[in-house]
Amino acid sequence: MRNFASMLKLFFVFVSATLLFVSSFGQSDTILLSAKVKELKALSYSNPLEALQHAEPLLAECSQAGYSKGLAEVYNTQGIILYTRGLNDLALQSFINALENFRLLNDTIGMSLVYNNLGVVSYSVKKYYYSIFFFQQSLAIQSRINNIRNVIDLNNNIGSIYEKLKMYNKALSIHRNANAMSIKYGHLVGLSTGLNNIGVIYENSGHPDSAIWYYRKALEVSDSVPISQLALTYSNLGRTLMNNSRIDEARICLDSALLMATNSEATSYLSEIYNLFSQYYDKKGDINKAYKYLLKYKDVNKLIEDQTTEGDFADFILSMQQNKWSKEKKLLDNQVSLQQKVQWLLVIVIVVVIAGFFLVYLNIRNRNRLLDQRHKLSESESLRLADELKNKEIIAQLEKEKLTSELQMKERQLTSMTMHIVTKNETLQEIEKHVEQIASGNPEKSAEMPLNKIKSIIRMNAGDEAVWNNYFYHFEQVYPGFFRQLTNLHPELTQGEQKLCAYITINLNNKEIAHVMGISEASIKIKKNRLSKKLQLDIASDLTSYLRKFTDGE
C-alpha cells in the first residue's frame, strides 16, 4: 500500500510538472508574440511599408498559436497603416477582422478603439451615417468605463460629422456639451478641438465673425495641444479672415500655420495652407508668388498621392490582393468540388429513393396480386365450404328424416306389438271368462273337464315374461337409454312400475294398460297415483309429459 501511495504521489507530481511545463511553454509563446506585436506597432510609425510586410506572417503565427488578442491588435495596426495610405476598403476589412477578435475576447476597450477607427474610415469615404454609428458604439463603451477624455474626443468627432451633414444645431449642441466636459475635467486638447469645430460650423453657416471668435478662443488654449492641431486652427482662421477681406491678419495666421505644419510634418495640412497662400498673393496682385505657392500646393498633393501609390507599396498591396484572390479561388474550388460531391450524392440519393420506391411499388403490386389470389381462393373456399355445409345440412336433414322415419316406424311397430299384446290379453281374458261361465254353469261336468288347466295356461300367457322381454327390447330400440335414465334418477321403482312407465310413455290409456298387465282399470289408477308420489309429482300432474323427457335423452 505504501509503495502504491508513493507511486501515486510521483504520478501526480509528474502530471503537475507536465501541465506546468505546457502552460509555461504556451505562456512564453504568448509573451514572444506580444513582444512582436508591440514591435510592429512601433515600426508602423517609422516604416509603414515594412510594418505592413511583417503583418501578414505575424497574423499567421498568432492564428496558429490561437492568440486572439495578438490577431486583434495586428489587424488594427494593419488597418491604420492602410488607412493612412488611402486604401480605405482594405483598411475597413482589417478593422472588421480586429473587431471580431476583440469580441471573442470580450475586450470592450479594444472594441471601442476599433469602432473609433471604423468611424474615421467611414468619415473619410463620406459614409457619414455609418461613421456616426461607429463613433456612438465606441462612445457607449467609453462612457461605461468612464474614460472622460475619450468621451469628449468622440463627441467632438460626432459633432464634426453632423456639421458635414449640415445639421448645425445638433452639431453645436454636441460640441458645447463636449466643451463643458473639457472645462470640468481640464481636457485642454478636447476643449481646443471643440472650439475649432464650432468655428467651422459658424464659418460654413455664414457667420464669419462668430467663427473668427471661436478660432481665436481655440488658439488661446495652446498648452498641451499638439502643434499639428494648432496648425489646422490657424489655417481655418486665416481662411476665414481672408474671405472677409482681412488679408493682413490672414497673412499672420497663415505664417503661423505654415510654421507649425512644417515642424509637425503635417503634410495633409500643408496642401491647404499652400493653396491659401496662393490665394493670398493672388489677392495682393503678386502673380509670381501666387504661382510659386500653387506649384508647392500641387507638389504636396503629388507627394500625398505618391505615398499611397509608390511602387513597392503598390506591389505589396498587389501581392496581398493576389494572395487573397488565391485563397478565395482555392476556397471557391473547394466549394465547387464540395458542390459537385453534394450533387453526385444527391443524384445517388435520388436514384436510391427512386429504386426504393420502385421496389416498394413492386412489393405492393405483388402483395396485392397475392392478396387478390388469396381473396379469390378464400371466396372459392368459402363457396366450397358453403356447398359442403349445404350438402351436410341436406345430408343431416335426410338423416334426420331417415331417423325420424325409422323412429316413427319403430314406434308403429312398438304400438302394433303393444296392441297385439292388448288384443291377445283381451282374447285370453274373454276365453277365461267363458271358461268360468262354463265351470259355473255345469259344476258337475267342470270336474271332469280340464278347465283349471286351461285357466292356468291363460294366466301364464297373459303374464309371459318372454313377451315382456321382447317388448322391452323393441322399446329400447325406439327409446334407447329410457330405463337407464329412469332408474338412475328413480332407483326405487319396481319392475312393475317401470313397465307401467313404459306403457304410459307410449300413450296407452288405463283400459289398455289394464289389459296388457292383466289387472283391472281401477288398479291401474291406484298404481298411477303411487307412481306419481314416487316420482314426486302432483296427483294431477301429467305423467306422460314427465316420462317423455326420458325419451329425449334428458
Side-chain angles (χ1 to χ4, degrees), residues 9 35 60 68 99 114 132 147 166 207 209 310 322 334 412 453 496 506:
K9 288 180 180 179
S68 297
L99 183 62
V114 177
I132 290 173
N147 191 327
K166 297 184 179 181
H207 300 86
D209 293 336
E310 58 189 1
Q322 286 176 344
N334 291 336
R412 285 195 297 271
K453 187 176 181 179
I506 62 173

mmCIF file with all atom_site columns, all heavy atoms in Angstrom, residues 9 35 60 68 99 114 132 147 166 207 209 310 322 334 412 453 496 506:
data_model
loop_
_atom_site.group_PDB
_atom_site.id
_atom_site.type_symbol
_atom_site.label_atom_id
_atom_site.label_alt_id
_atom_site.label_comp_id
_atom_site.label_asym_id
_atom_site.label_entity_id
_atom_site.label_seq_id
_atom_site.pdbx_PDB_ins_code
_atom_site.Cartn_x
_atom_site.Cartn_y
_atom_site.Cartn_z
_atom_site.occupancy
_atom_site.B_iso_or_equiv
_atom_site.pdbx_formal_charge
_atom_site.auth_seq_id
_atom_site.auth_comp_id
_atom_site.auth_asym_id
_atom_site.auth_atom_id
_atom_site.pdbx_PDB_model_num
ATOM 1   N N   . LYS A 1 9   ? 1.713    9.462   -5.687  1.00 0.00 ? 9   LYS A N   1
ATOM 2   C CA  . LYS A 1 9   ? 2.235    10.815  -5.473  1.00 0.00 ? 9   LYS A CA  1
ATOM 3   C C   . LYS A 1 9   ? 3.172    11.221  -6.597  1.00 0.00 ? 9   LYS A C   1
ATOM 4   O O   . LYS A 1 9   ? 3.123    12.340  -7.108  1.00 0.00 ? 9   LYS A O   1
ATOM 5   C CB  . LYS A 1 9   ? 2.963    10.888  -4.130  1.00 0.00 ? 9   LYS A CB  1
ATOM 6   C CG  . LYS A 1 9   ? 2.035    10.843  -2.920  1.00 0.00 ? 9   LYS A CG  1
ATOM 7   C CD  . LYS A 1 9   ? 2.829    10.929  -1.633  1.00 0.00 ? 9   LYS A CD  1
ATOM 8   C CE  . LYS A 1 9   ? 1.911    10.880  -0.411  1.00 0.00 ? 9   LYS A CE  1
ATOM 9   N NZ  . LYS A 1 9   ? 2.672    10.934  0.854   1.00 0.00 ? 9   LYS A NZ  1
ATOM 10  N N   . ALA A 1 35  ? 5.395    40.595  -27.723 1.00 0.00 ? 35  ALA A N   1
ATOM 11  C CA  . ALA A 1 35  ? 6.538    41.480  -27.993 1.00 0.00 ? 35  ALA A CA  1
ATOM 12  C C   . ALA A 1 35  ? 6.621    41.821  -29.481 1.00 0.00 ? 35  ALA A C   1
ATOM 13  O O   . ALA A 1 35  ? 6.896    42.968  -29.861 1.00 0.00 ? 35  ALA A O   1
ATOM 14  C CB  . ALA A 1 35  ? 7.828    40.805  -27.524 1.00 0.00 ? 35  ALA A CB  1
ATOM 15  N N   . ALA A 1 60  ? -0.378   35.050  -39.245 1.00 0.00 ? 60  ALA A N   1
ATOM 16  C CA  . ALA A 1 60  ? -0.366   33.588  -39.357 1.00 0.00 ? 60  ALA A CA  1
ATOM 17  C C   . ALA A 1 60  ? 0.140    32.944  -38.069 1.00 0.00 ? 60  ALA A C   1
ATOM 18  O O   . ALA A 1 60  ? -0.411   31.938  -37.598 1.00 0.00 ? 60  ALA A O   1
ATOM 19  C CB  . ALA A 1 60  ? 0.502    33.166  -40.542 1.00 0.00 ? 60  ALA A CB  1
ATOM 20  N N   . SER A 1 68  ? -5.708   35.314  -29.827 1.00 0.00 ? 68  SER A N   1
ATOM 21  C CA  . SER A 1 68  ? -6.733   36.207  -30.378 1.00 0.00 ? 68  SER A CA  1
ATOM 22  C C   . SER A 1 68  ? -6.408   37.672  -30.140 1.00 0.00 ? 68  SER A C   1
ATOM 23  O O   . SER A 1 68  ? -6.671   38.522  -31.001 1.00 0.00 ? 68  SER A O   1
ATOM 24  C CB  . SER A 1 68  ? -8.100   35.875  -29.760 1.00 0.00 ? 68  SER A CB  1
ATOM 25  O OG  . SER A 1 68  ? -8.485   34.561  -30.096 1.00 0.00 ? 68  SER A OG  1
ATOM 26  N N   . LEU A 1 99  ? -12.154  43.766  -34.978 1.00 0.00 ? 99  LEU A N   1
ATOM 27  C CA  . LEU A 1 99  ? -13.345  43.842  -34.134 1.00 0.00 ? 99  LEU A CA  1
ATOM 28  C C   . LEU A 1 99  ? -13.852  42.449  -33.766 1.00 0.00 ? 99  LEU A C   1
ATOM 29  O O   . LEU A 1 99  ? -14.236  42.199  -32.614 1.00 0.00 ? 99  LEU A O   1
ATOM 30  C CB  . LEU A 1 99  ? -14.433  44.638  -34.865 1.00 0.00 ? 99  LEU A CB  1
ATOM 31  C CG  . LEU A 1 99  ? -15.737  44.871  -34.094 1.00 0.00 ? 99  LEU A CG  1
ATOM 32  C CD1 . LEU A 1 99  ? -15.472  45.691  -32.841 1.00 0.00 ? 99  LEU A CD1 1
ATOM 33  C CD2 . LEU A 1 99  ? -16.764  45.563  -34.982 1.00 0.00 ? 99  LEU A CD2 1
ATOM 34  N N   . VAL A 1 114 ? -11.437  50.025  -32.040 1.00 0.00 ? 114 VAL A N   1
ATOM 35  C CA  . VAL A 1 114 ? -11.705  49.662  -33.438 1.00 0.00 ? 114 VAL A CA  1
ATOM 36  C C   . VAL A 1 114 ? -12.942  50.387  -33.957 1.00 0.00 ? 114 VAL A C   1
ATOM 37  O O   . VAL A 1 114 ? -12.980  50.835  -35.113 1.00 0.00 ? 114 VAL A O   1
ATOM 38  C CB  . VAL A 1 114 ? -11.873  48.132  -33.571 1.00 0.00 ? 114 VAL A CB  1
ATOM 39  C CG1 . VAL A 1 114 ? -12.221  47.755  -35.007 1.00 0.00 ? 114 VAL A CG1 1
ATOM 40  C CG2 . VAL A 1 114 ? -10.600  47.422  -33.151 1.00 0.00 ? 114 VAL A CG2 1
ATOM 41  N N   . ILE A 1 132 ? -21.220  57.910  -37.809 1.00 0.00 ? 132 ILE A N   1
ATOM 42  C CA  . ILE A 1 132 ? -21.916  58.246  -36.553 1.00 0.00 ? 132 ILE A CA  1
ATOM 43  C C   . ILE A 1 132 ? -22.196  56.980  -35.751 1.00 0.00 ? 132 ILE A C   1
ATOM 44  O O   . ILE A 1 132 ? -21.988  56.931  -34.531 1.00 0.00 ? 132 ILE A O   1
ATOM 45  C CB  . ILE A 1 132 ? -23.224  59.001  -36.857 1.00 0.00 ? 132 ILE A CB  1
ATOM 46  C CG1 . ILE A 1 132 ? -22.910  60.403  -37.388 1.00 0.00 ? 132 ILE A CG1 1
ATOM 47  C CG2 . ILE A 1 132 ? -24.100  59.091  -35.608 1.00 0.00 ? 132 ILE A CG2 1
ATOM 48  C CD1 . ILE A 1 132 ? -24.126  61.151  -37.874 1.00 0.00 ? 132 ILE A CD1 1
ATOM 49  N N   . ASN A 1 147 ? -14.119  56.757  -19.255 1.00 0.00 ? 147 ASN A N   1
ATOM 50  C CA  . ASN A 1 147 ? -12.904  57.369  -19.809 1.00 0.00 ? 147 ASN A CA  1
ATOM 51  C C   . ASN A 1 147 ? -13.303  58.733  -20.385 1.00 0.00 ? 147 ASN A C   1
ATOM 52  O O   . ASN A 1 147 ? -13.723  58.852  -21.539 1.00 0.00 ? 147 ASN A O   1
ATOM 53  C CB  . ASN A 1 147 ? -12.304  56.474  -20.895 1.00 0.00 ? 147 ASN A CB  1
ATOM 54  C CG  . ASN A 1 147 ? -10.916  56.918  -21.307 1.00 0.00 ? 147 ASN A CG  1
ATOM 55  O OD1 . ASN A 1 147 ? -10.607  58.110  -21.303 1.00 0.00 ? 147 ASN A OD1 1
ATOM 56  N ND2 . ASN A 1 147 ? -10.077  55.957  -21.674 1.00 0.00 ? 147 ASN A ND2 1
ATOM 57  N N   . LYS A 1 166 ? -24.589  69.180  -42.386 1.00 0.00 ? 166 LYS A N   1
ATOM 58  C CA  . LYS A 1 166 ? -25.248  70.482  -42.295 1.00 0.00 ? 166 LYS A CA  1
ATOM 59  C C   . LYS A 1 166 ? -26.374  70.488  -41.265 1.00 0.00 ? 166 LYS A C   1
ATOM 60  O O   . LYS A 1 166 ? -27.339  71.246  -41.381 1.00 0.00 ? 166 LYS A O   1
ATOM 61  C CB  . LYS A 1 166 ? -25.776  70.927  -43.661 1.00 0.00 ? 166 LYS A CB  1
ATOM 62  C CG  . LYS A 1 166 ? -24.657  71.128  -44.682 1.00 0.00 ? 166 LYS A CG  1
ATOM 63  C CD  . LYS A 1 166 ? -25.184  71.653  -46.004 1.00 0.00 ? 166 LYS A CD  1
ATOM 64  C CE  . LYS A 1 166 ? -24.024  71.860  -46.989 1.00 0.00 ? 166 LYS A CE  1
ATOM 65  N NZ  . LYS A 1 166 ? -24.498  72.389  -48.292 1.00 0.00 ? 166 LYS A NZ  1
ATOM 66  N N   . HIS A 1 207 ? -21.594  82.778  -40.690 1.00 0.00 ? 207 HIS A N   1
ATOM 67  C CA  . HIS A 1 207 ? -21.385  83.670  -39.540 1.00 0.00 ? 207 HIS A CA  1
ATOM 68  C C   . HIS A 1 207 ? -19.885  83.801  -39.288 1.00 0.00 ? 207 HIS A C   1
ATOM 69  O O   . HIS A 1 207 ? -19.345  83.230  -38.327 1.00 0.00 ? 207 HIS A O   1
ATOM 70  C CB  . HIS A 1 207 ? -22.093  83.128  -38.292 1.00 0.00 ? 207 HIS A CB  1
ATOM 71  C CG  . HIS A 1 207 ? -23.575  82.988  -38.454 1.00 0.00 ? 207 HIS A CG  1
ATOM 72  N ND1 . HIS A 1 207 ? -24.171  81.870  -39.000 1.00 0.00 ? 207 HIS A ND1 1
ATOM 73  C CD2 . HIS A 1 207 ? -24.590  83.861  -38.159 1.00 0.00 ? 207 HIS A CD2 1
ATOM 74  C CE1 . HIS A 1 207 ? -25.476  82.026  -39.013 1.00 0.00 ? 207 HIS A CE1 1
ATOM 75  N NE2 . HIS A 1 207 ? -25.766  83.236  -38.514 1.00 0.00 ? 207 HIS A NE2 1
ATOM 76  N N   . ASP A 1 209 ? -17.899  86.265  -38.263 1.00 0.00 ? 209 ASP A N   1
ATOM 77  C CA  . ASP A 1 209 ? -17.423  86.911  -37.033 1.00 0.00 ? 209 ASP A CA  1
ATOM 78  C C   . ASP A 1 209 ? -17.414  85.922  -35.868 1.00 0.00 ? 209 ASP A C   1
ATOM 79  O O   . ASP A 1 209 ? -16.461  85.871  -35.084 1.00 0.00 ? 209 ASP A O   1
ATOM 80  C CB  . ASP A 1 209 ? -18.312  88.116  -36.701 1.00 0.00 ? 209 ASP A CB  1
ATOM 81  C CG  . ASP A 1 209 ? -18.162  89.239  -37.732 1.00 0.00 ? 209 ASP A CG  1
ATOM 82  O OD1 . ASP A 1 209 ? -17.095  89.280  -38.391 1.00 0.00 ? 209 ASP A OD1 1
ATOM 83  O OD2 . ASP A 1 209 ? -19.101  90.034  -37.883 1.00 0.00 ? 209 ASP A OD2 1
ATOM 84  N N   . GLU A 1 310 ? 3.154    54.519  -54.222 1.00 0.00 ? 310 GLU A N   1
ATOM 85  C CA  . GLU A 1 310 ? 4.555    54.254  -54.521 1.00 0.00 ? 310 GLU A CA  1
ATOM 86  C C   . GLU A 1 310 ? 4.737    52.793  -54.906 1.00 0.00 ? 310 GLU A C   1
ATOM 87  O O   . GLU A 1 310 ? 3.977    51.912  -54.484 1.00 0.00 ? 310 GLU A O   1
ATOM 88  C CB  . GLU A 1 310 ? 5.426    54.616  -53.323 1.00 0.00 ? 310 GLU A CB  1
ATOM 89  C CG  . GLU A 1 310 ? 5.070    53.876  -52.052 1.00 0.00 ? 310 GLU A CG  1
ATOM 90  C CD  . GLU A 1 310 ? 5.830    54.435  -50.871 1.00 0.00 ? 310 GLU A CD  1
ATOM 91  O OE1 . GLU A 1 310 ? 6.597    55.388  -51.041 1.00 0.00 ? 310 GLU A OE1 1
ATOM 92  O OE2 . GLU A 1 310 ? 5.642    53.895  -49.781 1.00 0.00 ? 310 GLU A OE2 1
ATOM 93  N N   . GLN A 1 322 ? -3.307   39.414  -54.440 1.00 0.00 ? 322 GLN A N   1
ATOM 94  C CA  . GLN A 1 322 ? -3.185   38.145  -55.157 1.00 0.00 ? 322 GLN A CA  1
ATOM 95  C C   . GLN A 1 322 ? -3.290   36.960  -54.197 1.00 0.00 ? 322 GLN A C   1
ATOM 96  O O   . GLN A 1 322 ? -3.916   35.943  -54.518 1.00 0.00 ? 322 GLN A O   1
ATOM 97  C CB  . GLN A 1 322 ? -1.844   38.106  -55.902 1.00 0.00 ? 322 GLN A CB  1
ATOM 98  C CG  . GLN A 1 322 ? -1.806   39.001  -57.136 1.00 0.00 ? 322 GLN A CG  1
ATOM 99  C CD  . GLN A 1 322 ? -0.439   39.019  -57.789 1.00 0.00 ? 322 GLN A CD  1
ATOM 100 O OE1 . GLN A 1 322 ? 0.554    38.615  -57.176 1.00 0.00 ? 322 GLN A OE1 1
ATOM 101 N NE2 . GLN A 1 322 ? -0.377   39.502  -59.028 1.00 0.00 ? 322 GLN A NE2 1
ATOM 102 N N   . ASN A 1 334 ? -12.781  24.595  -53.657 1.00 0.00 ? 334 ASN A N   1
ATOM 103 C CA  . ASN A 1 334 ? -13.258  23.627  -52.660 1.00 0.00 ? 334 ASN A CA  1
ATOM 104 C C   . ASN A 1 334 ? -14.781  23.605  -52.601 1.00 0.00 ? 334 ASN A C   1
ATOM 105 O O   . ASN A 1 334 ? -15.403  22.544  -52.485 1.00 0.00 ? 334 ASN A O   1
ATOM 106 C CB  . ASN A 1 334 ? -12.691  23.967  -51.279 1.00 0.00 ? 334 ASN A CB  1
ATOM 107 C CG  . ASN A 1 334 ? -11.192  23.728  -51.203 1.00 0.00 ? 334 ASN A CG  1
ATOM 108 O OD1 . ASN A 1 334 ? -10.651  22.924  -51.963 1.00 0.00 ? 334 ASN A OD1 1
ATOM 109 N ND2 . ASN A 1 334 ? -10.521  24.425  -50.307 1.00 0.00 ? 334 ASN A ND2 1
ATOM 110 N N   . ARG A 1 412 ? -94.414  -47.292 -34.535 1.00 0.00 ? 412 ARG A N   1
ATOM 111 C CA  . ARG A 1 412 ? -95.587  -48.010 -35.049 1.00 0.00 ? 412 ARG A CA  1
ATOM 112 C C   . ARG A 1 412 ? -95.487  -49.500 -34.739 1.00 0.00 ? 412 ARG A C   1
ATOM 113 O O   . ARG A 1 412 ? -96.470  -50.147 -34.355 1.00 0.00 ? 412 ARG A O   1
ATOM 114 C CB  . ARG A 1 412 ? -95.702  -47.792 -36.564 1.00 0.00 ? 412 ARG A CB  1
ATOM 115 C CG  . ARG A 1 412 ? -96.215  -46.400 -36.938 1.00 0.00 ? 412 ARG A CG  1
ATOM 116 C CD  . ARG A 1 412 ? -96.663  -46.358 -38.392 1.00 0.00 ? 412 ARG A CD  1
ATOM 117 N NE  . ARG A 1 412 ? -95.577  -46.621 -39.319 1.00 0.00 ? 412 ARG A NE  1
ATOM 118 C CZ  . ARG A 1 412 ? -94.773  -45.691 -39.817 1.00 0.00 ? 412 ARG A CZ  1
ATOM 119 N NH1 . ARG A 1 412 ? -94.917  -44.428 -39.466 1.00 0.00 ? 412 ARG A NH1 1
ATOM 120 N NH2 . ARG A 1 412 ? -93.808  -46.019 -40.657 1.00 0.00 ? 412 ARG A NH2 1
ATOM 121 N N   . LYS A 1 453 ? -106.818 -76.344 -15.854 1.00 0.00 ? 453 LYS A N   1
ATOM 122 C CA  . LYS A 1 453 ? -105.573 -76.330 -16.640 1.00 0.00 ? 453 LYS A CA  1
ATOM 123 C C   . LYS A 1 453 ? -105.617 -75.249 -17.704 1.00 0.00 ? 453 LYS A C   1
ATOM 124 O O   . LYS A 1 453 ? -104.629 -74.552 -17.962 1.00 0.00 ? 453 LYS A O   1
ATOM 125 C CB  . LYS A 1 453 ? -105.371 -77.711 -17.276 1.00 0.00 ? 453 LYS A CB  1
ATOM 126 C CG  . LYS A 1 453 ? -104.019 -77.844 -17.966 1.00 0.00 ? 453 LYS A CG  1
ATOM 127 C CD  . LYS A 1 453 ? -103.835 -79.244 -18.488 1.00 0.00 ? 453 LYS A CD  1
ATOM 128 C CE  . LYS A 1 453 ? -102.470 -79.394 -19.158 1.00 0.00 ? 453 LYS A CE  1
ATOM 129 N NZ  . LYS A 1 453 ? -102.238 -80.751 -19.674 1.00 0.00 ? 453 LYS A NZ  1
ATOM 130 N N   . GLY A 1 496 ? -92.459  -53.676 -12.058 1.00 0.00 ? 496 GLY A N   1
ATOM 131 C CA  . GLY A 1 496 ? -93.837  -53.433 -12.499 1.00 0.00 ? 496 GLY A CA  1
ATOM 132 C C   . GLY A 1 496 ? -94.078  -51.957 -12.754 1.00 0.00 ? 496 GLY A C   1
ATOM 133 O O   . GLY A 1 496 ? -94.761  -51.579 -13.712 1.00 0.00 ? 496 GLY A O   1
ATOM 134 N N   . ILE A 1 506 ? -95.930  -44.551 -24.114 1.00 0.00 ? 506 ILE A N   1
ATOM 135 C CA  . ILE A 1 506 ? -96.430  -44.710 -25.493 1.00 0.00 ? 506 ILE A CA  1
ATOM 136 C C   . ILE A 1 506 ? -97.914  -44.364 -25.584 1.00 0.00 ? 506 ILE A C   1
ATOM 137 O O   . ILE A 1 506 ? -98.597  -44.751 -26.543 1.00 0.00 ? 506 ILE A O   1
ATOM 138 C CB  . ILE A 1 506 ? -96.169  -46.137 -26.002 1.00 0.00 ? 506 ILE A CB  1
ATOM 139 C CG1 . ILE A 1 506 ? -96.915  -47.167 -25.160 1.00 0.00 ? 506 ILE A CG1 1
ATOM 140 C CG2 . ILE A 1 506 ? -94.676  -46.433 -26.053 1.00 0.00 ? 506 ILE A CG2 1
ATOM 141 C CD1 . ILE A 1 506 ? -96.836  -48.582 -25.715 1.00 0.00 ? 506 ILE A CD1 1
#
